[in-house]
Structure formats: C-alpha cells, structure tokens
C-alpha cells in the first residue's frame, strides 16, 4: 500500500535544531504515531531549515512543496522574522502568500496544521535579540496574525507556545544551545499536537480503501465515538461491516 505523504514546512523548530537526532523533532514523532496507529508507512518530507524566515519559505520551500503531492501539511514559521526585525504587516503579507500556496496544494483544509511560534524570549540564547518583554510581545503579536490567517482558510491552528513557556522540566527540555527545544520539549509538542489532530489525520487512510471499505470504516469510527473509545477496535469494525448495506460480507456475517 502506498505510504502516507506528510509535508512539514518551517524553520529550526520544524527540523529540530539542537537535537542529536532529527528523528526526535515533532514532525518525525507525528509521522511515527500515525504509522503506529494506521499500520501504513508515512513518508515525511521535512523542509525546515535553521534560520529560515517567511521569505525563505516562499523562495526555497514552496517550490519543493508543489511537487511533493502531500496529503498532510504542517507549517510553523515566524521566529526568525521576529529576530530579524520584520514588522507585523510584512509578516502578515508573506504568511498570506504561504497559506495561499498551501491551499493550492489541494490538501483538505482539516489536514493542514498551522502551529504557533514557541516563546524563546526568556531563554539564555535569546539575549542578543532584544529584551524578554519585547520579544514575548512580538511572539504574541505574530501568533495572533498566524491564528487569524489560518482561521480564514480555514486551517487548524494549534498553540504550542504555552508549552514552551512552561518551567524547565529538567534533562532534555532545552537543547545545549540554550535557545532551541530539546527532545523532551519536542515530545511534549508532539503529544499535544497528536491529541488534537489524531481523529482527522487517521482518516487519510480512507483514500486507500474501496468505497465499501471506506463506508465500513466510517461507521466504525462513529461507533467508537459513540462508545467514547480511545481507538477504533475490531469490535467497531465488525459493527461497521454489519451495518453496511448491500455488500456480500454483511450477508455472510
């Protein structure tokens, strides 16, 4: 069966600058969770580059994205626009270009994830970029722009800024550079994001099934929801088969 195609756009937060292994970044964690829960391989195309701004994404990442044929997309960009002194209007204009280009990829809007900029203002490595109070205010302002622009598409917008503002949880929370998230923080990002997107991103597998199979799975999902189950199990799939009209296996069962 063809693998699921997941495209991740962004900067150092997306690629995982400061991690010993890129497999620890949050897009890789999401891809692994999706594979574990669906049983289908996930091909992750992670275009994130340390230091990239919205201008870089437009120039370097979007041309590649157009040829990637993604079924799932995430975008996290803006920290370096803040660091380089971009004004809010310029950031909004460039983000609108990026969001328009993502929408043109033809990915269903519910499978496009816009992610907030983590707050780096109080970290030791952020000292050269401005005072903590000014940086924090700009992070909030840029995230407000990103959230409003995402809602107008409408893409799902998820806040991980609040996680980045939590007290240092100890080993692995920060990278050695004192500026980027460590593996524990990426894990926290991934867990939070997965909890929000799992029901929608799991349904990407339905495109690989026949109409009858899709119908059975859709009924199974509704059965699982009705029973407040955490996962779609074999008992829900059986109910999906039994309730599906006009197919041979229903008569056999």
């Amino acid at each position: 069966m063809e693998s699921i195609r997941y495209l991740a756009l962004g900067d150092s937060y997306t690629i995982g600058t400061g991690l010993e292994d890129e497999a620890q970044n949050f897009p890789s964690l999401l891809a692994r969770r999706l594979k574990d829960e669906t049983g289908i391989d996930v091909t992750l195309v992670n275009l994130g580059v340390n230091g990239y701004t919205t201008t870089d994404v437009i120039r370097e990442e979007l041309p590649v994205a157009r040829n990637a044929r993604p079924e799932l997309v995430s975008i996290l960009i803006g920290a370096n626009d803040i660091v380089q002194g971009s004004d809010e209007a310029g950031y909004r204009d460039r983000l609108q270009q990026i969001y328009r280009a993502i929408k043109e990829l033809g990915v269903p809007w519910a499978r496009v994830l816009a992610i907030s900029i983590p707050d780096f203002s109080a970290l030791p490595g952020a000292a050269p970029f401005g005072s903590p109070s000014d940086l924090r205010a700009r992070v909030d302002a840029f995230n407000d722009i990103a959230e409003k622009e995402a809602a107008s598409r409408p893409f799902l917008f998820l806040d991980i800024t609040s996680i980045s503002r939590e007290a240092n949880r100890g080993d692995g929370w920060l990278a050695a550079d004192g500026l980027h998230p460590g593996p524990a923080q990426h894990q926290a990002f991934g867990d939070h994001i997965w909890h929000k997107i799992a029901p929608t991103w799991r349904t990407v597998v339905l495109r690989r099934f026949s109409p009858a199979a899709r119908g059975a799975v859709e009924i199974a999902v509704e059965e699982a929801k009705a029973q407040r189950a955490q996962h779609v199990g074999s008992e829900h799939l059986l109910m999906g088969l039994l309730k599906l009209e006009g197919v041979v296996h229903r008569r056999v069962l």
Side-chain angles (χ1 to χ4, degrees):
M1 183 175 290
E2 183 183 10
S3 62
I4 298 168
R5 299 181 299 279
Y6 168 27
L7 173 69
L9 303 168
D11 51 28
S12 58
Y13 292 115
T14 295
I15 199 60
T17 298
L19 298 174
E20 293 183 2
D21 185 349
E22 287 185 6
Q24 297 172 318
N25 62 42
F26 77 82
S28 295
L29 298 175
L30 294 177
R32 192 150 55 246
R33 288 288 292 272
L34 185 59
K35 177 183 177 180
D36 289 346
E37 297 213 11
T38 64
I40 299 175
D41 287 337
V42 178
T43 298
L44 169 62
V45 178
N46 190 331
L47 299 181
V49 175
N50 183 45
Y52 264 21
T53 64
T54 47
T55 299
D56 297 310
V57 169
I58 292 168
R59 184 184 63 248
E60 303 292 342
E61 297 186 24
L62 292 183
V64 179
R66 293 186 180 100
N67 296 320
R69 299 184 304 115
E71 299 169 275
L72 306 165
V73 176
S74 66
I75 172 70
L76 194 175
I77 194 68
N80 295 297
D81 293 77
I82 294 172
V83 167
Q84 295 185 21
S86 172
D87 60 27
E88 293 175 22
Y91 176 67
R92 180 183 291 105
D93 289 345
R94 293 187 296 275
L95 196 63
Q96 287 174 345
Q97 291 183 55
I98 293 169
Y99 283 1
R100 281 198 299 269
I102 291 174
K103 195 162 187 178
E104 290 170 0
L105 295 176
V107 179
W109 63 265
R111 295 181 192 151
V112 177
L113 175 63
I115 304 172
S116 70
I117 304 165
D119 186 359
F120 56 93
S121 62
L123 300 179
F129 308 130
S131 70
S133 59
D134 288 346
L135 288 173
R136 181 181 177 118
R138 282 171 60 75
V139 168
D140 285 341
F142 277 46
N143 278 334
D144 184 61
I145 291 169
E147 182 173 12
K148 289 177 179 176
E149 292 298 330
S152 70
R153 296 306 182 268
F155 300 154
L156 176 63
F157 184 84
L158 268 186
D159 169 43
I160 62 171
T161 310
S162 56
I163 295 174
S164 69
R165 286 173 173 162
E166 293 180 11
N168 192 321
R169 296 186 187 178
D171 291 345
W173 190 248
L174 290 179
D177 62 9
L179 182 61
H180 291 95
Q185 193 170 167
H186 271 275
Q187 184 68 59
F189 291 162
D191 289 345
H192 175 71
I193 294 170
W194 180 254
H195 177 71
K196 299 293 185 180
I197 67 170
T200 301
W201 279 31
R202 286 190 197 109
T203 61
V204 72
V205 302
L206 295 180
R207 297 179 62 183
R208 288 154 173 76
F209 297 162
S210 68
R214 283 199 299 271
V217 172
E218 287 168 356
I219 295 171
V221 170
E222 292 305 314
E223 289 291 330
K225 287 181 181 177
Q227 296 175 25
R228 300 179 182 239
Q230 296 297 316
H231 304 282
V232 177
S234 57
E235 67 276 23
H236 306 119
L237 291 170
L238 180 58
M239 290 300 297
L241 291 171
L242 288 172
K243 290 187 175 183
L244 197 64
E245 297 288 346
V247 291
V248 173
H249 55 257
R250 181 175 186 272
R251 293 195 297 273
V252 172
L253 290 170

